[in-house]
Amino acid sequence: MASGLRKGLATYGDAGFSLFLRRAFIKAMGYTDEALDRPIIGITDTFSDFNPCHGNVPDLIAAVKRGVMLAGGMPMAFPTVSIHESFSHPTSMFLRNLMALDTEEMIRAQPMDAVVLIGGCDKTLPAQLMGAASADIPAIVVPTGPMLVGHHKGEVLGACTDCRRMWAKYRAGEIDEAEIDALTDRLAPTKGTCMVMGTASTVSTMVEAIGMCLPGGGSVPATHADRIRLAEASGAAAVRLARDGVKPSHILTEAAFRNALVVLQAIGGSTNALIHFTAIAGRLGIKIDLEAFDRLGLDVPVLVDLKPSGDHYMEHFHWAGGVPRLLRELAPLLDMTCPTVTGHPLAHTIAGAEIVPGQTVIRTIDAPIATGGGLAVLRGNLAPGGALLKRSAATERLMQHEGRAVVFDGLEDMTNRLDDPDLDVTADDVLVLRNAGPKGAPGMPEAGYIPIPRKLARAGVKDMVRISDARMSGTAFGTIVLHITPEAATGGPLGLVRTGDRIRLDAAARRIDLLVNDAELATRRAAYVAPPAHPGSHRGYLRLYLEQVTQADEGCDFAFCRAEG
Ligand code: FES
């Protein structure tokens, strides 16, 4: 099989001419024949002035290049889409599949024997792994790493759990305009990804657990010299992976996904990670079984004490031993034979775990933070295709709750009415947001963390049961039922709920139910009017997205990108 510069020639009808032309053009960059005859290691360049979570990418690329050269390869960086959470309209999830398509096709189109995927902000590593799984050439991930913590008035702060907490205080009138402004200087004090166990940290932790990055890759802070050394080592590892022909499909096995899901439960991680890993698995023909994931939760205790479920931040997790230390604790629940990009099975990573005396961030299996897992999968007449509840971030007394529905028909309706002093709502009600799913919003925004209505927030209400077909940031907290499937916009029962209906959440029984009889629901269904088409949906990426995006239980990937096509 062709390798290096000879791979994937442009089609001119004469392979010799294609290679001749390629060599002639690339030499314009000053390369020698000796350099061009080495194995080529592609490096994704996801630096963007709009993406501070990737602010260290240039330094990481330089280090990866050094590692590749030291190991006898030829590094070649190439740009792909870069997505930052707060710089993506309408929402980053709308663009994740675009980045996955871009990454897959650029890996395929350009001659490389292995690829180093540098990403970090929430949607980027999932998109890169989706693309790399489909392209299936040797690949290794270098996460950009978490930022360091911030400080404010003697308090340690982190993006973005404390962004939400401080904003809630501002809404409740507990802090003023000047202080909320000052906080924009302090919540995200360095380059790198959010340093709580939000989506980015959850995904990077799971990427390390699944074996796609080197030990430490999931947690070394973005600004530390160790992150640079890890990038250099990853460059060298990429050359080895290319030489040995180890592809993502060799590492991303069913057993490896199960290991990653054990870790997701044990860290009380982001609900988004389940969607992302379902999408990555779907690229390889592997189905993530929601019921099996829920059962895992019954066996796997929450061991990591990080915000938003706990007290600490990613740098504390790292210095407590990071993912290898966590995996060591979870070893009885893991398949230790799974291969990794280190060239050794997972057992080897675990054997190298650092034991830090006296640390309390990573608990032992005998003294967990919570039992019963971080995430619960719910079913019921409101969510026949499933829904998620982040138990570890919920309020215990609300996990069995029956209340009156207060319905918002979409994001605009919610924005217009939520803070109306005349809104008929009490703390015992259940806030319902619909038409905020993959097709309904579109892009399934992180709107599931419905703010507490201002008048209740000012009265001291901190949590309510909130349900939606949207997602929630991994940094958010509360008794929030998400990913209700099927979504309202595709005819899901969430679209039939009316203000005043009773809704029952029973987390122990894994149920979310609308207490309205079947005959009444049938009458409502017959009278149901779907929301109007999204403006601009007749063409372009929005049209492709709306035609192809799947529901949360299939990872919201494009149907035609899944392994079965
Ligand atoms: Fe990029 Fe949080 S905004 S990881």
Side-chain angles (χ1 to χ4, degrees):
M1 200 173 111
S3 62
L5 215 60
R6 291 165 185 77
K7 276 187 85 175
L9 294 169
T11 309
Y12 293 107
D14 177 346
F17 176 69
S18 295
L19 182 59
F20 163 73
L21 209 58
R22 177 173 282 180
R23 293 182 82 90
F25 273 113
I26 200 68
K27 282 188 170 180
M29 304 282 277
Y31 291 114
T32 62
D33 286 325
E34 190 197 357
L36 294 173
D37 280 342
R38 289 182 169 200
I40 294 177
I41 309 300
I43 306 166
T44 61
D45 183 354
T46 53
F47 178 80
S48 159
D49 283 338
F50 289 110
N51 195 345
C53 301
H54 291 203
N56 60 347
V57 165
D59 293 340
L60 295 178
I61 289 176
V64 169
K65 284 185 169 179
R66 191 163 64 240
V68 169
M69 297 286 285
L70 285 168
M74 178 65 208
M76 301 194 90
F78 62 98
T80 73
V81 169
S82 183
I83 304 170
H84 183 271
E85 286 302 292
S86 39
F87 286 92
S88 302
H89 178 78
T91 170
S92 59
M93 190 63 177
F94 177 64
L95 299 169
R96 184 201 65 180
N97 295 351
L98 178 66
M99 183 172 180
L101 278 175
D102 177 17
T103 304
E104 175 183 345
E105 295 309 324
M106 287 300 98
I107 292 172
R108 261 193 230 292
Q110 299 167 132
M112 59 190 85
D113 299 295
V115 63
V116 180
L117 306 160
I118 304 181
C121 194
D122 291 13
K123 306 304 175 293
T124 59
L125 287 181
Q128 291 178 317
L129 277 173
M130 289 160 71
S134 294
D136 206 24
I137 69 162
I140 185 169
V141 173
V142 179
T144 55
M147 0 170 164
L148 298 182
V149 297
H151 299 266
H152 177 68
K153 294 188 171 173
E155 202 183 350
V156 175
L157 292 183
C160 228
T161 300
D162 294 312
C163 314
R164 292 172 204 287
R165 186 169 63 82
M166 290 300 180
W167 188 252
K169 279 187 166 198
Y170 172 64
R171 282 175 57 81
E174 293 171 29
I175 61 177
D176 62 15
E177 196 85 32
E179 186 165 359
I180 199 75
D181 270 352
L183 280 161
T184 58
D185 287 341
R186 299 188 172 179
L187 283 159
T190 72
K191 295 169 182 172
T193 52
C194 292
M195 65 296 227
V196 297
M197 191 50 86
T199 303
S201 301
T202 300
V203 169
S204 67
T205 299
M206 291 171 73
V207 165
E208 189 173 335
I210 212 167
M212 284 299 296
C213 73
L214 294 182
S219 62
V220 179
T223 52
H224 277 44
D226 280 346
R227 175 68 49 191
I228 301 291
R229 279 187 279 274
L230 185 119
E232 184 184 302
S234 301
V239 177
R240 176 178 40 75
L241 291 167
R243 188 192 63 221
D244 298 345
V246 180
K247 299 176 181 176
S249 56
H250 298 140
I251 293 173
L252 298 174
T253 60
E254 213 163 326
F257 277 102
R258 189 183 173 283
N259 284 349
L261 294 177
V262 167
V263 166
L264 174 57
Q265 290 282 16
I267 59 180
S270 164
T271 46
N272 290 319
L274 187 60
I275 292 185
H276 296 320
F277 278 74
T278 298
I280 298 163
R283 294 299 183 104
L284 296 156
I286 296 170
K287 169 108 183 117
I288 302 294
D289 178 343
L290 286 178
E291 265 63 40
F293 175 68
D294 187 67
R295 282 195 301 277
L296 262 189
L298 299 177
D299 295 334
V300 180
V302 179
L303 296 183
V304 175
D305 186 12
L306 253 61
K307 289 199 173 192
S309 304
D311 285 332
H312 301 283
Y313 296 88
M314 281 302 280
E315 63 189 89
H316 308 126
F317 174 58
H318 178 67
W319 298 118
V323 180
R325 177 69 188 87
L326 174 65
L327 295 178
R328 185 181 162 119
E329 203 52 47
L330 292 168
L333 301 165
L334 300 173
D335 184 335
M336 314 274 273
T337 66
C338 287
T340 73
V341 291
T342 64
H344 303 285
L346 194 65
H348 187 265
T349 302
I350 293 171
E354 185 180 350
I355 305 300
V356 179
Q359 67 82 20
T360 58
V361 178
I362 304 169
R363 305 289 175 82
T364 64
I365 220 153
D366 300 325
I369 289 165
T371 52
L375 303 181
V377 177
L378 310 180
R379 301 268 181 184
N381 72 352
L382 262 180
L388 268 191
L389 170 69
K390 188 171 182 177
R391 293 176 66 249
S392 58
T395 303
E396 187 61 40
R397 75 178 163 78
L398 290 175
M399 294 224 252
Q400 318 292 321
H401 181 79
E402 186 186 312
R404 188 188 66 123
V406 175
V407 180
F408 299 100
D409 245 332
L411 293 165
E412 199 179 331
D413 183 34
M414 185 178 84
T415 308
N416 290 340
R417 293 196 295 123
L418 188 73
D419 288 339
D420 185 339
D422 294 331
L423 180 69
D424 178 14
V425 66
T426 73
D428 291 330
D429 291 339
V430 174
L431 300 179
V432 177
L433 171 65
R434 64 184 171 212
N435 299 318
K439 291 179 194 271
M444 206 180 183
E446 291 183 340
Y449 177 75
I450 304 168
I452 303 294
R454 193 185 295 268
K455 68 178 181 184
L456 297 180
R458 295 213 157 164
V461 176
K462 300 281 186 231
D463 195 10
M464 295 172 67
V465 174
R466 290 160 270 179
I467 74 171
S468 72
D469 46 13
R471 294 176 304 114
M472 169 174 90
S473 164
T475 62
F477 47 87
T479 311
I480 297 174
V481 176
L482 302 152
H483 307 182
I484 286 184
T485 304
E487 62 173 306
T490 59
L494 194 64
L496 306 180
V497 183
R498 291 182 182 166
T499 292
D501 289 347
R502 307 290 294 176
I503 289 177
R504 185 191 298 137
L505 166 65
D506 184 346
R510 302 297 199 253
R511 301 277 311 180
I512 181 76
D513 287 296
L514 177 63
L515 306 181
V516 171
N517 66 48
D518 290 347
E520 170 62 16
L521 288 179
T523 306
R524 290 184 192 181
R525 186 170 293 288
Y528 176 74
V529 180
H534 296 293
S537 57
H538 63 291
R539 63 164 299 281
Y541 179 70
L542 177 56
R543 177 170 172 171
L544 174 72
Y545 176 90
L546 290 171
E547 286 175 357
Q548 287 293 327
V549 73
T550 56
Q551 294 289 288
D553 59 342
E554 293 193 317
C556 301
D557 197 2
F558 288 159
F560 70 82
C561 286
R562 292 166 57 80
E564 68 274 16

